[in-house]
Amino acid sequence: MVAQDSDGAEGPRRRVQRLRVDIDQHRYRYYVLSDPSITDAEFDALYQQLARLEAEHPELDDPDSPTHRVGTAPSPAFAAVGHRQPMLSLDNAFDDSELLRWAERNNRILEGAPVRWTCELKVDGVAISVAYVRGRLDRAVTRGDGRVGEDVTANVRTIAGVPDYLEVDDPPALLEARGEIYYPVAEFEAMNDAREQEGLARFANPRNAASGALRQKDPAKTAQRPLRLVCHGMGAVQGLSVPTQSAFLEAIAAAGLPVAEQTCTLDDLDEVCRFIADWGERRHAPTYEMDGVVVKVDDLGQQRRLGATSAVPRWAIAYKYPPEERQTKLIDIFVNVGRTGKVTPFASFEPVLVAGSTLQLATLHNEDQARLKDVRPGDTVVVRKAGDVIPEVVGPVLSQRPDEVTSAGPWRMPKTCPFCGSAIERLEGEAASFCTNIDCPNRLLESLAHFAGRGAMDIEGLGYETARILRDQGLVSNIADVYRLSADDLLPLEGFGDKKVSQLLAGIEGSKTQPLERLLVALNIRMVGGTVARVLARHFGTLAAVRAADTDTIAAVNGVGPIRAAALRAFLDNPSSGALLDDLAALGVRTDTEAAQRSDLLDGWTVVLTGGLSGFTRDEAKQAIEDRGGKVVGSVSKKTGVVVVGVDPGSKAAKAVDLGVPTVDEDGFVALLDSGALPASGSPAQ
Ligand code: IVH
């Protein structure tokens, strides 16, 4: 996941660089993909770390740091629109003392003039600007990077409660309101349950669902979602004069724009702290998800005096609530056996509603983590879900531990596997424990599902449930058995009609031609994922050559190293895996790689992809480049060899021109893949 600062040897410069890269990546996942991989609280912690390091080491500060920017570059899927005034983000306070320090600093700048504070709930939505020209909705634009956003007007017009016309007799020449688009919590839960029923992935939280729904290419799709708007701020205005933030909110509410009813303006900071504490107790009362309170200096003249940094105004701050915690009863600690045989303990507790969804299971990761937390069956435990989906057991409530739980002692990793009875062992110096039986039925199920999955052998029709049926019916007792299945085996199974069986068998047959790199991914070898599999396949070319290589030879392959080499060698030396590999080859599974024969064609090339290609998905284009020894990178620099410019390219195409980097269109890209050279007319791009 995220780089943790566990490496004491890492200097601040390197740490700052890593944090910047991580933060940019997380912002991209959050704003563009609507699919964050960490919680909001974890993101905030990374951001705070970076801000602290930059403050401690001013020599490392950089105007391009994420602390000086907001959001992320707009997606090329929508027209880019410059904001009339930048759309800033907010600084955070995590407790009362941070809030008071912020207020004191403002008081100092304002030389003790009395200040009134407007307190608003912090809606966890997608930031939007809605501009009305002479009373008519003209444009709705996402925040993007704060200066340039995406034009989503057609989609916003479909949202209930967003007026096409302001309800005023004499509309101002321009009124731009800023606000949030949100997915109401109740509808979100229902929609997520329905998705689960259909076998689709759940959205992490309402904000991601809102972001996904708002950024549909087809406005009809947005219209089907119950999105809502709430406005909280003023953008560019002409022909409207208001003295305060609260007066602005009143004016736009009177004009028919939705504003939050909970907002109030207070004279003293004790009341502000009480407002914050009060809403902290009732976080789930509003129809939208909220993660804090925004406190603003009400007077617009004072706001102007306070001003802003490049990313945040000084006149407003977001007080963020800590991740919500709840108590429940720990029923038991079970273990699961994964596809590599790794044994993972997990807690099962009485269902408890946390931050809008019901939790009852949480991983405890490994024996050390479980023992460190010292949670025991029968304990009352604290659980939380830090802003998204990953449930966590924080620890036991020791004051409520029953005597018999105390005397039972700490939980221990079982000595034998609950699925097959074989010994569970922990390797020296490692946190993970393993079931020692390579044929463990649970390991078989997990490894079969992985073997057939995307990125591995990609067998259509062989998902987790089918894998379970095949295992339970005794049709598959090791992976190679998949290639021994016949129609006679499958047709008698319940729910397996002619069509399903022939599709499954065709999928299995088709998978035999997957190249070596896919087979290496599919084999469930510890520490061998897609990237390592690719370098191994490229280096060795055939499975036989991989099997013949000793640990040092494997370790010397660029990107592998001694630890992965040892894990791979241990797999190859295990007699069951040896037999499995022999079986797969005998059953007709391909054991070499096409790429091996022409791996040097793009050796030393750095390629950037931008825009859509008609003959390749992004993954396929990347794979084709890597198969030939080239490297795909995300951003254009002087060192980039070529930029492949597809349909609707992003800003990278323009950057290539600026830097004089050659560009090719799709035909040129195909020629490059075939010949390893730029076509004569290639570059520079227009
Ligand atoms: S005012 C220039 N007020 O939270 C100040 N923002 O984490 C602009 N947000 O960028 C923000 N509720 O998108 C403001 N009542 C509220 C808000 C709010 C949610 C969002 C906004 C902001 C983000 C910062």
Side-chain angles (χ1 to χ4, degrees):
M1 208 183 54
V2 185
Q4 299 287 324
D5 206 1
S6 56
D7 180 0
E10 189 179 67
R13 179 176 301 276
R14 178 109 183 78
R15 179 83 195 120
V16 160
Q17 277 167 353
R18 291 219 302 182
L19 281 165
R20 285 177 182 157
V21 171
D22 282 347
I23 287 170
D24 274 339
Q25 277 173 353
H26 289 307
R27 276 186 171 166
Y28 178 77
R29 292 196 68 99
Y30 184 91
Y31 290 111
V32 177
L33 305 182
S34 308
D35 181 25
S37 59
I38 60 170
T39 65
D40 292 0
E42 284 168 330
F43 180 85
D44 285 344
L46 287 178
Y47 188 93
Q48 297 296 323
Q49 266 185 47
L50 177 60
R52 208 177 324 114
L53 280 168
E54 287 175 344
E56 283 166 10
H57 301 276
E59 74 282 7
L60 298 180
D61 205 2
D62 178 340
D64 205 31
S65 169
T67 53
H68 301 302
R69 290 184 275 117
V70 301
T72 197
S75 153
F78 297 94
V81 179
H83 292 298
R84 292 178 172 96
Q85 280 177 12
M87 271 181 94
L88 300 180
S89 183
L90 287 171
D91 218 349
N92 293 325
F94 294 98
D95 56 35
D96 286 3
S97 67
E98 286 182 9
L99 176 77
L100 297 179
R101 232 178 302 135
W102 165 79
E104 271 163 26
R105 200 188 57 195
N106 283 348
N107 280 332
R108 242 179 291 127
I109 300 173
L110 297 173
E111 294 164 336
V115 175
R116 302 192 79 210
W117 316 94
T118 297
C119 301
E120 301 164 7
L121 301 190
K122 184 170 183 312
V123 186
D124 197 8
V126 181
I128 193 89
S129 140
V130 283
Y132 288 80
V133 173
R134 283 177 294 282
R136 179 166 194 272
L137 177 59
D138 180 56
R139 235 173 205 172
V141 183
T142 64
R143 182 165 60 187
D145 65 5
R147 319 235 153 223
V148 178
E150 300 146 325
D151 184 346
V152 287
T153 315
N155 292 357
V156 169
R157 279 191 205 286
T158 71
I159 296 176
V162 179
D164 267 335
Y165 290 91
L166 295 178
E167 295 159 15
V168 283
D169 295 333
D170 187 14
L174 172 67
L175 186 155
E176 182 195 349
R178 305 272 170 87
E180 305 292 307
I181 305 274
Y182 66 92
Y183 208 120
V185 180
E187 281 90 339
F188 169 75
E189 285 298 322
M191 178 271 297
N192 242 356
D193 291 347
R195 279 178 71 87
E196 194 161 33
Q197 299 259 307
E198 288 170 39
L200 298 170
R202 292 177 74 94
F203 281 103
N205 55 41
R207 205 211 79 91
N208 296 313
S211 170
L214 179 64
R215 302 161 95 260
Q216 294 290 327
K217 282 217 153 178
D218 176 4
K221 293 221 167 95
T222 305
Q224 287 163 6
R225 304 293 163 80
L227 297 180
R228 287 282 178 282
L229 167 71
V230 57
C231 296
H232 52 58
M234 183 163 95
V237 292
Q238 285 164 21
L240 173 81
S241 167
V242 283
T244 58
Q245 160 75 6
S246 45
F248 175 75
L249 293 180
E250 276 166 33
I252 61 171
L257 280 167
V259 297
E261 63 205 29
Q262 299 90 348
T263 301
C264 69
T265 306
L266 302 168
D267 287 316
D268 101 51
L269 283 166
D270 285 344
E271 291 175 65
V272 171
C273 291
R274 231 170 304 142
F275 179 94
I276 292 170
D278 249 28
W279 278 105
E281 297 294 313
R282 294 185 285 149
R283 279 170 75 165
H284 300 298
T287 52
Y288 42 79
E289 192 147 277
M290 61 113 159
D291 57 351
V293 167
V294 183
V295 183
K296 297 175 182 172
V297 170
D298 193 42
D299 185 275
L300 299 186
Q302 290 184 335
Q303 285 191 5
R304 274 189 291 275
R305 279 189 69 187
L306 291 166
T309 70
S310 57
V312 296
R314 290 196 193 85
W315 47 263
I317 197 157
Y319 188 110
K320 289 268 194 88
Y321 292 126
E324 204 182 4
E325 298 187 340
R326 287 267 181 282
Q327 294 188 4
T328 183
K329 186 68 111 262
L330 183 71
I331 302 168
D332 211 340
I333 296 175
F334 298 107
V335 297
N336 190 39
V337 176
R339 65 190 177 89
T340 59
K342 187 156 121 187
V343 178
T344 306
F346 65 95
S348 159
F349 39 83
E350 285 176 4
V352 58
L353 193 69
V354 186
S357 54
T358 307
L359 311 183
Q360 46 191 336
L361 297 174
T363 179
L364 294 169
H365 302 288
N366 58 43
E367 186 177 17
D368 289 348
Q369 287 286 319
R371 295 196 55 158
L372 198 69
K373 289 190 169 156
D374 189 20
V375 285
R376 307 179 188 182
D379 263 339
T380 298
V381 291
V382 175
V383 296
R384 72 176 171 200
K385 197 183 74 167
D388 75 348
V389 278
I390 304 155
E392 180 190 357
V393 177
V394 182
V397 183
L398 287 175
S399 58
Q400 291 186 34
R401 177 170 279 174
D403 289 344
E404 65 275 16
V405 173
T406 308
S407 49
W411 175 83
R412 287 179 190 286
M413 179 63 85
K415 293 206 166 12
T416 55
C417 170
F419 301 101
C420 67
S422 312
I424 290 178
E425 274 178 9
R426 184 169 166 183
L427 301 179
E428 204 159 313
E430 285 202 31
S433 307
F434 288 86
C435 168
T436 45
N437 176 12
I438 198 163
D439 297 319
C440 170
N442 208 66
R443 178 173 179 174
L444 173 66
L445 171 63
E446 300 276 346
S447 52
L448 197 55
H450 172 80
F451 182 84
R454 285 185 65 197
M457 299 304 266
D458 205 0
I459 303 179
E460 217 184 312
L462 184 43
Y464 203 84
E465 276 322 302
T466 304
R468 187 193 295 280
I469 294 168
L470 296 178
R471 180 201 62 171
D472 290 350
Q473 296 297 319
L475 289 171
V476 171
S477 53
N478 71 42
I479 282 171
D481 285 344
V482 169
Y483 294 103
R484 298 192 177 97
L485 289 170
S486 68
D488 289 346
D489 295 327
L490 298 169
L491 284 169
L493 301 179
E494 203 181 310
F496 281 65
D498 281 341
K499 193 163 160 214
K500 181 166 172 170
V501 168
S502 54
Q503 273 174 354
L504 177 56
L505 289 173
I508 292 171
E509 191 57 31
S511 76
K512 287 183 178 172
T513 58
Q514 293 285 13
L516 176 61
E517 45 271 43
R518 294 292 200 101
L519 178 62
L520 287 172
V521 172
L523 286 169
N524 299 289
I525 307 168
R526 281 184 72 207
M527 300 191 217
V528 177
T531 310
V532 174
R534 264 196 303 280
V535 294
L536 288 168
R538 196 177 305 136
H539 185 88
F540 291 106
T542 64
L543 183 59
V546 178
R547 293 178 74 176
D550 61 21
T551 314
D552 290 346
T553 311
I554 300 173
V557 178
N558 197 5
V560 179
I563 299 176
R564 291 196 184 93
L568 173 58
R569 201 56 258 170
F571 172 86
L572 296 170
D573 290 339
N574 183 314
S576 320
S577 357
L580 171 66
L581 297 181
D582 292 343
D583 273 4
L584 288 172
L587 287 160
V589 174
R590 173 173 172 187
T591 54
D592 66 357
T593 178
E594 256 171 336
Q597 281 118 48
R598 18 182 210 148
S599 63
D600 296 338
L601 220 45
L602 295 181
D603 200 20
W605 280 81
T606 316
V607 184
V608 171
L609 299 165
T610 179
L613 300 171
S614 57
F616 303 77
T617 63
R618 190 51 78 86
D619 281 348
E620 284 164 356
K622 186 164 181 266
Q623 177 89 54
I625 295 161
E626 290 176 352
D627 281 349
R628 289 159 179 77
K631 201 163 125 199
V632 177
V633 296
S635 57
V636 184
S637 75
K638 282 201 181 119
K639 291 194 197 127
T640 307
V642 62
V643 177
V644 179
V645 180
V647 180
D648 278 344
S651 58
K652 292 171 193 169
K655 187 148 183 214
V657 178
D658 281 354
L659 295 177
V661 171
T663 63
V664 285
D665 60 9
E666 184 160 352
D667 289 343
F669 177 51
V670 172
L672 176 68
L673 292 177
D674 282 343
S675 66
L678 288 175
S681 61
S683 84
Q686 40 267 292

